[in-house]
Amino acid sequence: MMSNDVFPMIKPLTIGTGPRQVRLDHPVILAPLSGVTDLPFRTLVKEHGAGLVVSEMIASWAMVRENRATLRMAEVVAGGGPSSVQLAGCDPKAMAEAAKIAVGLGADLIDINFGCPVKKVAIGQMAGSSLMRDEVLAGRILEATARAVDVPVTLKMRMGWDHNSLNAPTLARIAEQAGITLLTVHGRTRQQFYEGTANWDFIAEVKAATSLPVIVNGDITTAHKAAEALRRSNADGVMIGRGSYGRPWFLRQVMHYLTTGELVPAPSLAEQKEILLHHYRAIRSHFGDRPGVRLGRKHVAWYSQGLHSSAGFRAEVNRLDTGEAVEALIHQFYDPLIEQGFVRQDEMAIAA
């Protein structure tokens, strides 16, 4: 690490004002991830010490129509620490109404999505990152949502639509005027999707354009990368997405490093197996056994990455159709590795 690092690199962060302001003792935040940050995963990451967890992106129109599956997506983690619900849409009135519903369901914060790059959202629905191309409509959505609820409203966006329109600093000023209380910036454009590398330096330009707290997001997969992202962006905290896949404990490791400068090891492989089983059972309990078996496959795959012969294990998991059979295979796969003292390769390189 560079010799000028001073710990702690993060400090407590207060979002909003008034009686419903939210305090983050450690601004290390789980990103909203479609198909990943469902209630079982958010609960698990929160149990392992995340400063804040954010729901999957939820379509405002589906929330307003009180779609049953959508309302379940907005369920918040029970007990201990704040939770945020992220909304997407292009109609200010629908966004405002959806925010009210989410707060009624227990959301401590509302996050607005101006960052989703997928074609269905950004092109088909003219929402997500598409709104970075219409600053007038973006401002109306931000203001309508912020006025609709008495909890803090935050914004997640990218650098811009493409490298010819890097307007995140301008949108930061618009957001501040509209009543937004915190910004998260993913250091890529919409046209990059998830290719290339995140530009943490550009996020410093967003930070300089506003007095709002700014969170840096993108490519934070090790504790040292979290520190580098903070240093280069001058941000107030970090948001972690894909770095948490199969590692619900990773945010705690980052938090500890940014606070103390000390690296803490991942749980032992035996502990990881128990965390995986707990997570897998929670998925099946929440979604039902048959849907849970299908939805749990990707998580089982992520947990096992870096382990000896894991490719064959993952292929076998994808062929099984009962939770009991998958759990038996988990024991069969992990137990010999635990006995032999194997360590996940990515855990051995966490400080890289």
Side-chain angles (χ1 to χ4, degrees):
M1 288 295 293
M2 295 176 61
S3 60
N4 62 348
D5 286 331
V6 178
F7 296 95
M9 296 187 71
I10 52 173
K11 59 184 179 180
L13 182 62
T14 299
I15 307 172
T17 59
R20 299 202 67 175
Q21 67 183 18
V22 171
R23 175 186 165 93
L24 303 185
D25 291 329
H26 302 96
V28 177
I29 302 169
L30 177 67
L33 300 160
S34 292
V36 179
T37 54
D38 50 34
L39 186 63
F41 189 67
R42 296 199 308 275
T43 299
L44 185 59
V45 174
K46 179 72 77 66
E47 288 172 352
H48 280 270
L52 175 69
V53 295
V54 187
S55 76
E56 301 175 79
M57 179 185 69
I58 299 173
S60 57
W61 62 266
M63 179 76 84
V64 171
R65 294 177 184 176
E66 298 190 350
N67 177 282
R68 181 176 298 179
T70 301
L71 294 177
R72 288 200 75 193
M73 290 171 65
E75 292 178 19
V76 300
V77 177
S83 293
S84 176
V85 169
Q86 188 186 73
L87 300 174
C90 60
D91 180 352
K93 291 183 179 179
M95 287 287 286
E97 185 61 30
K100 292 178 184 177
I101 294 170
V103 171
L105 293 172
D108 301 294
L109 303 101
I110 299 297
D111 188 58
I112 297 175
N113 184 306
F114 281 6
C116 180
V118 300
K119 185 176 181 180
K120 177 181 177 181
V121 175
I123 304 298
Q125 301 173 12
M126 299 302 291
S129 56
S130 178
L131 290 164
M132 298 195 73
R133 296 194 292 179
D134 189 339
E135 294 173 2
V136 173
L137 177 57
R140 288 174 53 214
I141 289 171
L142 296 171
E143 184 174 7
T145 309
R147 285 185 173 183
V149 293
D150 61 352
V151 303
V153 178
T154 64
L155 170 65
K156 186 173 190 289
M157 59 181 169
R158 291 189 165 224
M159 297 192 300
W161 180 260
D162 55 31
H163 279 89
N164 294 319
S165 55
L166 300 178
N167 62 336
T170 300
L171 276 169
R173 290 187 286 268
I174 292 170
E176 185 170 6
Q177 294 172 357
I180 299 303
T181 57
L182 175 141
L183 304 169
T184 299
V185 185
H186 183 128
R188 287 182 173 86
T189 67
R190 184 270 171 181
Q191 298 296 65
Q192 283 182 278
F193 285 80
Y194 297 98
E195 299 298 322
T197 57
N199 187 342
W200 299 326
D201 298 303
F202 178 83
I203 297 173
E205 297 183 32
V206 182
K207 176 65 177 173
T210 177
S211 64
L212 294 177
V214 172
I215 305 298
V216 58
N217 175 228
D219 293 351
I220 299 175
T221 54
T222 70
H224 282 173
K225 285 183 178 179
E228 183 183 355
L230 279 177
R231 186 169 53 246
R232 287 169 49 184
S233 66
N234 198 30
D236 302 282
V238 297
M239 177 175 280
I240 295 171
R242 289 174 289 171
S244 68
Y245 289 7
R247 299 192 296 171
W249 53 83
F250 177 57
L251 276 75
R252 183 189 67 220
Q253 291 176 291
V254 170
M255 187 185 307
H256 185 83
Y257 181 73
L258 296 178
T259 303
T260 68
E262 300 171 350
L263 291 168
V264 293
S268 68
L269 192 57
E271 291 170 318
Q272 290 182 35
K273 187 191 86 166
E274 293 307 313
I275 293 168
L276 165 57
L277 287 169
H278 173 72
H279 187 186
Y280 189 70
R281 290 163 185 162
I283 292 170
R284 291 167 58 203
S285 175
H286 183 74
F287 292 103
D289 193 66
R290 289 185 64 83
V293 168
R294 177 176 53 82
L295 292 169
R297 287 169 179 161
K298 58 179 175 283
H299 291 281
V300 174
W302 289 327
Y303 278 97
S304 68
Q305 283 180 351
L307 289 174
H308 181 66
S309 301
S310 60
F313 166 68
R314 291 191 290 271
E316 183 64 23
V317 167
N318 289 337
R319 286 193 288 268
L320 299 177
D321 56 7
T322 70
E324 291 76 12
V326 172
E327 287 197 23
L329 185 63
I330 289 171
H331 288 291
Q332 180 183 334
F333 172 72
Y334 272 85
D335 289 350
L337 297 176
I338 292 168
E339 256 185 75
Q340 297 169 46
F342 275 96
V343 177
R344 279 175 66 178
Q345 293 175 16
D346 62 331
E347 302 298 351
M348 295 171 67
I350 186 170

